[in-house]
Amino acid sequence: MEPKFFKIPVSVGSVSLRVAKGHFATRNSHTNYFIDVTEQQSCLREAEAVARQLAQQDLTRNTMVDTILCLDGTRVIGTCLAQELTQGGNRSINAGKEIYLLRENLSRDGKFIFRDNARFMLDGKNVLLLLASVTTGSTVRKGIRCVQYYKGNVAGVASIYSHVKEVDGIPVASLFNTNDLPGYVSHRPDECPFCKLGQPLDAVVDKYGYAAL
């Protein structure tokens, strides 16, 4: 059955959040909300709106951004955010500077990897991790380990939605959080109360969207 989507009654600037309630499985957790960020990931106008609002936050604790690592299919948002941060009229310390954009590549064992020609964008660079949403923080941790492996520094984490305030001591800057989703819960798959009650999954979700069951 297709999830029934609705917009929450909270917006940040012109950015709104479209969600569905039910029983959903991600790679790392089971949740009772599915957050649909398809338009923000794919529509230039929506991506610009997200970037505009994120750029107004303290994303990196006053550390200049050299590279944005775009996870969860956020390359369009990342491009817009780089433009926002480097605008000459912007108060950001990145104004007038160059920002590199990278998206993750996965190894056979699921780790983030980069080819030799891309390593200079991480080695010695201040890297902002950009995600569509943060639930358990596992993807953020993979990003942190990857950046550190390539001798970079994680300057901050930004997302459209976040269930947590920080990951491994690094604050997560987000436009929406659990205060905007009443009753939001996230469980490890083996501890999911919905599964224990025999409630079937409504959909399996990942960075590309959802597959209804």
Side-chain angles (χ1 to χ4, degrees):
M1 182 181 295
E2 290 288 323
K4 295 181 179 180
F5 288 94
F6 61 94
K7 287 187 177 181
I8 65 173
V10 178
S11 61
V12 180
S14 61
V15 182
S16 58
L17 205 58
R18 184 171 177 262
V19 304
K21 295 190 71 174
H23 181 194
F24 304 101
T26 72
R27 179 188 296 270
N28 302 298
S29 66
H30 284 200
T31 69
N32 62 337
Y33 274 93
F34 169 55
I35 302 167
D36 184 15
V37 292
T38 305
E39 290 193 359
Q40 288 92 340
Q41 290 172 316
S42 307
C43 173
L44 181 60
R45 181 177 61 186
E46 295 290 337
E48 288 175 336
V50 170
R52 192 175 306 117
Q53 295 302 321
L54 284 176
Q56 296 177 21
Q57 300 195 29
D58 182 10
L59 300 176
T60 61
R61 295 162 293 178
N62 296 315
T63 299
M64 188 175 71
V65 176
D66 299 306
T67 300
I68 300 177
L69 177 52
C70 305
L71 308 174
D72 289 348
T74 57
R75 186 70 178 270
V76 179
I77 299 172
T79 301
C80 296
L81 181 57
Q83 292 176 330
E84 286 287 333
L85 295 177
T86 56
Q87 285 180 2
N90 199 315
R91 293 182 179 180
S92 167
I93 59 176
N94 288 276
K97 306 295 183 180
E98 188 72 64
I99 292 181
Y100 296 109
L101 293 168
L102 284 174
R103 60 182 176 184
E104 78 272 28
N105 293 301
L106 291 177
S107 64
R108 291 182 179 179
D109 58 357
K111 295 180 180 178
F112 296 153
I113 60 172
F114 293 94
R115 304 304 181 195
D116 291 349
N117 56 294
R119 292 189 177 200
F120 77 95
M121 302 182 207
L122 296 170
D123 189 352
K125 300 295 192 296
N126 294 320
V127 182
L128 173 68
L129 302 183
L130 178 63
L131 300 92
S133 64
V134 178
T135 303
T136 65
S138 60
T139 301
V140 174
R141 290 187 180 93
K142 284 175 62 176
I144 292 173
R145 289 195 296 268
C146 172
V147 171
Q148 292 175 341
Y149 175 82
Y150 290 105
K151 301 179 181 179
N153 169 58
V154 176
V157 179
S159 67
I160 300 172
Y161 168 83
S162 182
H163 183 56
V164 297
K165 294 182 179 180
E166 59 87 26
V167 177
D168 292 352
I170 301 175
V172 179
S174 66
L175 301 186
F176 301 93
N177 56 48
T178 49
N179 293 328
D180 303 311
L181 298 181
Y184 180 100
V185 292
S186 171
H187 302 279
R188 285 174 39 182
D190 60 336
E191 298 178 348
C192 176
F194 307 120
C195 292
K196 292 179 180 179
L197 291 173
Q199 180 178 335
L201 287 168
D202 293 297
V204 175
V205 303
D206 59 20
K207 66 179 181 180
Y208 301 109
Y210 71 92
L213 301 175

